[in-house]
Amino acid sequence: MVRYVANKFFYMLLSLLILISATFFLMKAIPGDPFQAEKKVSAEMKARLMEQYGLDKPLYVQYFKYLGDITTGDFGISMKKLNQDVSKIISDTFQTSLKLGLVAIVIAVVVGVLLGMLAALYHRKLIDNVAMILAVLGMAVPSFVFASLLQYYLAEKAGWFNVIGFDKPLDYVLPVIALSAQPIAFIARLTRSSMLEVLHADYIKTAKAKGLNWFTIMFKHVIRNGILPVVTYVGPMTANIITGSVVIEQIFGIGGIGKVFVESITNRDYTLIMGVTIFYGVILMVARFITDIAYVMIDPRIKLSGGKEG
Amino acid sequence: MNKKRLLSMLALILIVSTVLAACGSNNNREGGASNGAGKPAKAKEQVLHINMSAEPPTFDPGLAQDSQANTALKLMYEGLVRLDDTGKEVPAAAESWEISPDGLQYIFKLRKDAVWSNGDPVTANDFVFAWQRVLDPTTTPAPPYAYQLGYIKNANAYNAKEITDFSQVGIKATDDHTLEVTLENPTPYFLGLTSFYTYFPVHASVKNNAAWATDYKSMITNGAFNLTNWTTGQKLEYTKNDKYWDKDNIKLSKIESSLVTSGAAELSSYKSGQLDYAGAPNGEIPSDSIPTMKKNLPNEFAVKGIASTYFYEFNVTAKPFDNVKIRKAFSMAISRQDLVDKVTLGGQIPAFGFVAPGIKGVKDEFRTEYKDNFFQENYEEAKKLLAEGMAEEGYTTLPEVTLIYNSSESHKKVALAIADMWKNNLGVEVKTENLEWGVFLENRQNLNYQIARAGWTADFNDPMSFVDMWKTGAGNNDSGFSNAEYDQLVKDAMTSQDNAVRMEKMAAAEKILIQDEQVLMPLYYYTNVSLTKGNVKGISVNYSGAIDFSRAYIE
């Protein structure tokens, strides 16, 4: 087990290094620089700026300097949001994304599991059909379409919510619905199928035959076993929701990290692009790492040795 | 199996606790809703809600260089003069000024009751400090708009390290409330320039603190409003500054700005009553929605001409546009009226010159004194010119032509419409290619294009802001155009003291640029399209479209 974890950890660090290097060189390969504007900055002024930000040095020097800086935790200052610390921009905006993301995750798990359970218990009945139609819709409609529809009908037309902004608790409703729709659909389907499997298992029949009451059967046997697949899905989903709210943040004007990421690329804000990429990379890899370990703990069939696990 | 049980128990706990948490937040939501129900009282509150499509990259007046920062800094700071809604310079930090007869020396008398937000008096030394900081070649990061101060004697030389002694630069504080400025050339628009943000004063305490403008708590400002909240990428909040000398004329108690990029979301927010103002210059109303807004909200919808020109420039060093007849043919073969009526829809004015309306001339507007009748649209003439041009170059078929523009829905519509007109009216197939902003600029600035989309906004209220950029080798001359006669006319205009002579020279230069050489094909003069709620008054927009919310109020 320890060897397995160490192995996974090593690969995680290696992936991170590859990510950093690839992003660094690809980013520098895009035409343009952070000091471009419609009204051109004079050649001398640009040279002065390039020197001040160390962009006049050869690429490999910049690369190793950057690697050196980040090992000491120094992500530099933004080149477009003048003099602002990259780490501070990330921590400020990530808090916003995290607040939105966590609420969405909680809603996704609760609603998804409930919907899936109901569908399984009322298999092939009206509730099941309705729940599954909702699930298919949720999977099929892209979140940005859903977000725009919600914004138009519930905020602009009906006036129940603010169209943009993220201050009051009520402002969470629309972005959270838009963000959690897809995971809800996925979790509902997952829960339904695994619950159905469990409901038909022999040990449930035995339990029924023993004359156990319905609640005991449900809570002690069905839900506990039926929910396992959801647990393994929660890890990757968390990472996806927290990092994947780029579009939703744009639509509702939420100052999250996704919005910053998009802007940083347009601005060629090198330090900020690197900072956010590394941050995203770490979150995704850690989530993946935890999921890998969780798999092993839950399902002993996954091999521990040889690193051939899926 | 044990582990499995543990995990499933954990999952169960998670679910139960989230159900409880969800209930909790439901209660909060209801609380929020009932707070929201008390909204009617808010109508009388002097709070203005606006949107900016991007966060200002900086709140440091010395480093700023964009229109978002312009709007924000106008609220937070005050220069020597201020422009009122007619564009006239009125006293601000300076209560009076004298200009020497040769137009080279300005003496500003600062008001004694002006203070910074920390209570310190605003003195002439604060201006000297701010201007020196902008010009100082060691300032980090280098202020890209240092050239805005280039009219001051020796300012450019000091910035370029040709001289190191700041006392040789024409900026002096003769006492705490007297600022003496000496210019390089007589510059009739200099007084107006001192209302621009690069000229704003900065409190000397920021000297060794590079991060002072990154946190609203450490900003020391002298304007009508203080920045009192800033949530990165989401919200800005300005509160009335009770220490401001003219606070009796400031009626708003607060200005709140959301930071949404999408024009559709901004409009939607305006319609739902969340915003009091939407549209240019800090946001955008999608052109598709303009006709409906005009029809449905005639009292809130406004179109205002601004001193900006939308044009396509030719690379005069690349085939086939190294031939002037071919350039003229392309420029004549379109209908600008159709373009603004059917495509851009924002009441833009068809352009046949480069200097936009709204720019001052001798007595009236420059564009009124010198008409932009440099050429006429004429498809037959265009075809004839194209044939002649092709014959001169020995083409039997025209080389392939590509028009580049930066990715944006509105630029795309214009490009497709123009390409279509060329096809129908001139019989020429032109490829259109959209490029991401940074890539686009790189290509255009390196003359790696044939025809490119461009736009130009006046920096100051004088035709010089338009003609200066086409000098040989000028930083923004991306066309490869170089003409000795043109350069001489611009130089003469720059050094002349007589305003009528200056205008004459600049008009002659513009004639070379458009009528003789057709370096660019003007398309239209921009307009600002905006929506303002009926009860909001006192918003002022100047000639260039820059907006000032500081004197606004809610009825």
Side-chain angles (χ1 to χ4, degrees), chain B residues 410-479:
Chain B
S410 51
H411 298 328
K412 183 176 175 182
K413 283 180 189 155
V414 172
L416 294 179
I418 300 273
D420 199 49
M421 291 179 193
W422 280 330
K423 191 178 162 193
N424 294 330
N425 305 337
L426 202 60
V428 177
E429 287 275 0
V430 171
K431 249 176 69 185
T432 60
E433 187 181 4
N434 80 84
L435 298 171
E436 188 266 349
W437 179 237
V439 182
F440 171 78
L441 284 181
E442 185 91 354
N443 275 312
R444 201 178 74 189
Q445 289 169 356
N446 293 328
L447 284 173
N448 182 21
Y449 74 96
Q450 290 169 298
I451 314 178
R453 184 251 137 198
W456 187 257
T457 309
D459 282 329
F460 46 87
N461 197 345
D462 193 90
M464 187 55 84
S465 187
F466 288 86
V467 296
D468 182 41
M469 70 177 274
W470 299 102
K471 281 187 309 192
T472 303
N476 285 295
N477 180 352
D478 296 336
S479 67

Side-chain angles (χ1 to χ4, degrees), chain B residues 325-342:
Chain B
K325 284 185 176 160
I326 298 181
R327 297 202 291 268
K328 284 183 177 173
F330 271 71
S331 181
M332 275 181 194
I334 61 163
S335 168
R336 289 162 177 79
Q337 195 64 51
D338 281 353
L339 183 71
V340 299
D341 288 346
K342 294 176 187 158

Side-chain angles (χ1 to χ4, degrees), chain B residues 221-466:
Chain B
T221 55
N222 74 327
F225 290 84
N226 299 324
L227 187 65
T228 46
N229 205 340
W230 174 10
T231 313
T232 304
Q234 188 168 312
K235 196 178 126 182
L236 294 167
E237 182 191 272
Y238 309 88
T239 306
K240 182 178 172 178
N241 174 7
D242 286 325
K243 297 199 177 92
Y244 180 54
W245 66 271
D246 197 21
K247 65 171 187 289
D248 295 345
N249 286 318
I250 306 299
K251 301 192 185 79
L252 289 178
S253 59
K254 225 172 225 180
I255 300 174
E256 290 181 4
S257 171
S258 52
L259 298 169
V260 171
T261 315
S262 146
E266 179 179 319
L267 181 59
S268 178
S269 177
Y270 176 84
K271 285 197 278 187
S272 76
Q274 214 184 333
L275 294 178
D276 295 311
Y277 183 93
N282 299 109
E284 188 193 9
I285 293 172
S287 59
D288 301 340
S289 310
I290 291 177
T292 0
M293 289 300 108
K294 202 170 170 180
K295 206 170 117 236
N296 298 347
L297 302 170
N299 298 324
E300 303 177 18
F301 181 86
V303 169
K304 187 185 184 297
I306 57 168
S308 262
T309 309
Y310 190 109
F311 59 101
Y312 282 171
E313 59 184 316
F314 297 108
N315 178 356
V316 302
T317 65
K319 285 188 183 323
F321 297 112
D322 49 351
N323 184 292
V324 64
K325 284 185 176 160
I326 298 181
R327 297 202 291 268
K328 284 183 177 173
F330 271 71
S331 181
M332 275 181 194
I334 61 163
S335 168
R336 289 162 177 79
Q337 195 64 51
D338 281 353
L339 183 71
V340 299
D341 288 346
K342 294 176 187 158
V343 182
T344 61
L345 303 168
Q348 290 87 350
I349 306 148
F352 295 87
F354 186 58
V355 181
I359 294 290
K360 281 185 212 161
V362 185
K363 288 196 178 70
D364 203 336
E365 282 189 11
F366 178 81
R367 206 67 286 171
T368 315
E369 291 170 349
Y370 299 92
K371 297 277 181 233
D372 64 349
N373 50 4
F374 295 119
F375 65 98
Q376 275 160 354
E377 290 162 356
N378 183 333
Y379 308 155
E380 289 318 306
E381 178 74 11
K383 278 182 191 155
K384 208 178 109 213
L385 280 169
L386 180 66
E388 285 176 21
M390 283 170 67
E392 281 174 17
E393 302 295 321
Y395 301 141
T396 46
T397 53
L398 197 69
E400 189 171 276
V401 174
T402 306
L403 161 69
I404 61 167
Y405 59 95
N406 51 306
S407 310
S408 130
E409 220 23 63
S410 51
H411 298 328
K412 183 176 175 182
K413 283 180 189 155
V414 172
L416 294 179
I418 300 273
D420 199 49
M421 291 179 193
W422 280 330
K423 191 178 162 193
N424 294 330
N425 305 337
L426 202 60
V428 177
E429 287 275 0
V430 171
K431 249 176 69 185
T432 60
E433 187 181 4
N434 80 84
L435 298 171
E436 188 266 349
W437 179 237
V439 182
F440 171 78
L441 284 181
E442 185 91 354
N443 275 312
R444 201 178 74 189
Q445 289 169 356
N446 293 328
L447 284 173
N448 182 21
Y449 74 96
Q450 290 169 298
I451 314 178
R453 184 251 137 198
W456 187 257
T457 309
D459 282 329
F460 46 87
N461 197 345
D462 193 90
M464 187 55 84
S465 187
F466 288 86

Side-chain angles (χ1 to χ4, degrees), chain A:
Chain A
M1 187 71 188
V2 174
R3 231 180 87 195
Y4 173 78
V5 172
N7 200 9
K8 280 277 167 199
F9 189 72
F10 170 75
Y11 278 110
M12 188 171 87
L13 286 184
L14 190 68
S15 318
L16 197 59
L17 184 69
I18 294 171
L19 172 79
I20 292 172
S21 314
T23 313
F24 188 88
F25 290 104
L26 283 173
M27 171 183 86
K28 298 281 180 175
I30 318 175
D33 59 65
F35 315 116
Q36 282 174 324
E38 175 91 46
K39 303 206 168 173
K40 196 156 96 185
V41 174
S42 74
E44 297 149 39
M45 193 60 83
K46 187 175 261 184
R48 203 180 282 170
L49 285 162
M50 288 289 202
E51 193 191 321
Q52 286 170 346
Y53 284 106
L55 297 175
D56 55 336
K57 308 226 167 46
L59 210 50
Y60 71 93
V61 177
Q62 292 180 42
Y63 173 70
F64 286 112
K65 181 171 185 302
Y66 186 76
L67 282 186
D69 286 350
I70 58 171
T71 49
T72 64
D74 177 10
F75 286 85
I77 54 169
S78 163
M79 297 180 184
K80 203 72 178 194
K81 296 177 176 291
L82 298 177
N83 289 326
Q84 293 189 47
D85 262 324
V86 168
S87 348
K88 187 168 181 297
I89 297 175
I90 292 177
S91 75
D92 282 357
T93 53
F94 182 63
Q95 281 174 18
T96 308
S97 292
L98 193 66
K99 271 191 251 171
L100 172 64
L102 284 181
V103 179
I105 289 164
V106 167
I107 300 283
V109 171
V110 172
V111 177
V113 168
L114 281 177
L115 215 57
M117 274 166 55
L118 285 174
L121 289 178
Y122 297 92
H123 187 41
R124 296 188 196 279
K125 304 243 172 61
L126 182 69
I127 295 180
D128 184 22
N129 291 338
V130 171
M132 284 308 106
I133 289 171
L134 284 180
V136 169
L137 273 180
M139 289 295 287
V141 180
S143 63
F144 65 91
V145 173
F146 199 47
S148 308
L149 289 174
L150 289 173
Q151 195 178 42
Y152 182 71
Y153 287 105
L154 300 187
E156 186 189 324
K157 287 284 156 189
W160 297 343
F161 304 98
N162 280 334
V163 178
I164 48 180
F166 199 60
D167 288 331
K168 302 182 194 71
L170 209 60
D171 293 342
Y172 281 63
V173 177
L174 300 185
V176 163
I177 296 177
L179 204 54
S180 55
Q182 228 154 13
I184 286 178
F186 196 83
I187 292 176
R189 294 182 65 95
L190 211 61
T191 312
R192 176 178 176 268
S193 55
S194 92
M195 287 256 305
L196 282 176
E197 204 180 300
V198 175
L199 280 172
H200 293 110
D202 289 344
Y203 60 88
I204 300 293
K205 285 179 191 157
T206 315
K208 277 183 186 164
K210 273 200 303 189
L212 286 177
N213 72 41
W214 188 82
F215 274 99
T216 318
I217 296 175
M218 282 316 290
F219 282 94
K220 214 165 172 189
H221 300 291
V222 181
I223 295 178
R224 190 198 282 177
N225 289 301
I227 209 137
L228 272 175
V230 177
V231 177
T232 58
Y233 172 65
V234 168
M237 179 191 75
T238 306
N240 282 341
I241 284 189
I242 290 175
T243 58
S245 49
V246 178
V247 182
I248 305 294
E249 285 171 12
Q250 289 277 5
I251 291 175
F252 292 102
I254 299 168
I257 193 164
K259 200 173 168 214
V260 168
F261 194 35
V262 174
E263 281 173 8
S264 71
I265 298 168
T266 317
N267 289 338
R268 304 286 189 276
D269 193 339
Y270 294 142
T271 39
L272 193 55
I273 296 177
M274 287 309 296
V276 181
T277 309
I278 293 173
F279 184 75
Y280 271 164
V282 169
I283 288 192
L284 288 169
M285 284 170 197
V286 168
R288 185 76 222 172
F289 182 64
I290 293 172
T291 314
D292 278 343
I293 292 169
Y295 275 144
V296 178
M297 289 169 77
I298 292 166
D299 192 343
R301 279 170 298 183
I302 293 173
K303 274 186 196 160
L304 285 184
S305 55
K308 278 184 217 144
E309 69 292 323

